[in-house]
Amino acid sequence: MSDSAARVLIVMAMEAEAEPITAALRLAETTGPSDLPCRWYRGAADHLDVLVAVNGVDARFDVDSIGTVPAALNTYAAIQAFNPDLVISAGTAGAWHRDGSVVGDVFLSGVSFVNHDRRIELRGFDAYGVGSHPGIQTRDLADRLGFKVGIVTTSNSLDETPHDAERIEASGAAVKEMEAAGVAYVAEQAGVPMMAIKAITDLVDDPAPTPQQFIDNLSVATELLAEAVVAVLLELDEETFTST
Ligand code: SAH
């Protein structure tokens, strides 16, 4: 890895999702922010300098700090410290039978990141609530690696209310999770290109409850996620970063 190696920041919510990636890339733990529970791991992956920034375990609740607020804080701190050329939100997510998705599918993000739970019916604020933060073009990358492409939609809830369902249908999103729009908001403010890699743990329109599907499929999905993250890193080039 040279001094001029491109820097890629990978923001992740759960230790269990990150572990196979930090192990596969043999990243070493490095100092993160002292006032947040984040855990950061850094090292070389082929031609890249990679920082995996995990939101960390909440000190009071003793669970992973999932959701948009910890993700945004972690992303902000990591962008300040690491000055990345690309930000990736990586993790697990839900998808839908109606789109032909199955557990274990890997999605790369579409050209925007949206929120489905920020309903603000005031002129101007409605679009602000949705967000539509920009993502890079991932279609070529996805085609080369055999992944799907879909718009990622974010909220701070694991379930899907009827209101959420309406908004998700309107945005055409195919992937539902709890962090990407928070990460994309910070990347947009900082002017850093952004994408996501999401492995599907559960199908929102399946009769089985989402939490049960999530628990049953987490380990298989995180293995597939790790393989996908490594494959994307090896395939990344300067052109991908700048293709908006
Ligand atoms: N820690 C809990 C549950 C994690 S919540 C446990 O282990 O039981 C779900 C996490 O996975 C979030 O970080 C979210 O981004 C992602 N996720 C997976 N499926 C999801 C879905 N259907 N809706 C929202 N988030 C989902």
Side-chain angles (χ1 to χ4, degrees):
M1 182 176 75
S2 72
D3 283 352
S4 62
R7 286 178 301 277
V8 178
L9 167 64
I10 304 176
V11 183
M12 303 193 68
M14 299 179 67
E15 288 285 344
E17 293 167 339
E19 202 281 327
I21 296 173
T22 54
L25 296 174
R26 297 169 191 273
L27 305 183
E29 185 151 12
T30 180
T31 312
S34 59
D35 46 3
L36 292 171
C38 310
R39 298 194 55 182
W40 291 1
Y41 305 84
R42 186 171 179 177
D46 196 41
H47 57 305
L48 304 171
D49 182 1
V50 175
L51 180 71
V52 171
V54 185
N55 295 349
V57 173
D58 185 285
R60 201 148 63 81
F61 298 100
D62 196 28
V63 293
D64 291 304
S65 306
I66 62 177
T68 55
V69 171
L73 287 169
N74 188 15
T75 306
Y76 182 75
I79 287 178
Q80 295 292 310
F82 185 60
N83 190 24
D85 299 296
L86 176 70
V87 176
I88 300 177
S89 165
T92 58
W96 284 266
H97 283 294
R98 64 165 182 250
D99 298 324
S101 295
V102 296
V103 167
D105 273 350
V106 172
F107 277 88
L108 304 188
S109 46
V111 291
S112 68
F113 289 90
V114 295
N115 296 277
H116 56 263
D117 67 341
R118 304 204 313 178
R119 296 178 295 278
I120 317 167
E121 309 245 317
L122 292 168
R123 197 154 61 86
F125 291 97
D126 47 0
Y128 166 80
V130 174
S132 293
H133 307 295
I136 63 170
Q137 289 283 356
T138 62
R139 175 59 71 187
D140 286 353
L141 194 57
D143 286 350
R144 289 205 293 274
L145 295 170
F147 300 145
K148 297 183 172 180
V149 175
I151 290 182
V152 179
T153 187
T154 302
S155 76
N156 278 288
S157 299
L158 184 59
D159 68 355
E160 183 198 50
T161 69
H163 275 125
D164 294 340
E166 265 172 40
R167 293 188 156 245
I168 290 168
E169 205 183 318
S171 70
V175 180
K176 173 180 179 292
E177 50 77 89
M178 299 174 62
E179 291 85 17
V183 176
Y185 168 77
V186 181
E188 182 180 13
Q189 303 304 313
V192 185
M194 163 79 196
M195 67 175 281
I197 308 172
K198 299 285 164 176
I200 302 307
T201 42
D202 56 274
L203 296 160
V204 181
D205 52 357
D206 191 272
T210 296
Q212 193 55 51
Q213 295 184 60
F214 179 83
I215 291 163
D216 290 347
N217 299 320
L218 180 62
S219 104
V220 85
T222 52
E223 288 302 328
L224 292 165
L225 177 68
E227 283 171 26
V229 167
V230 172
V232 166
L233 291 176
L234 295 180
E235 197 68 23
L236 278 181
D237 51 33
E238 214 53 43
E239 211 178 301
T240 326
F241 290 24
T242 48
S243 55
T244 46

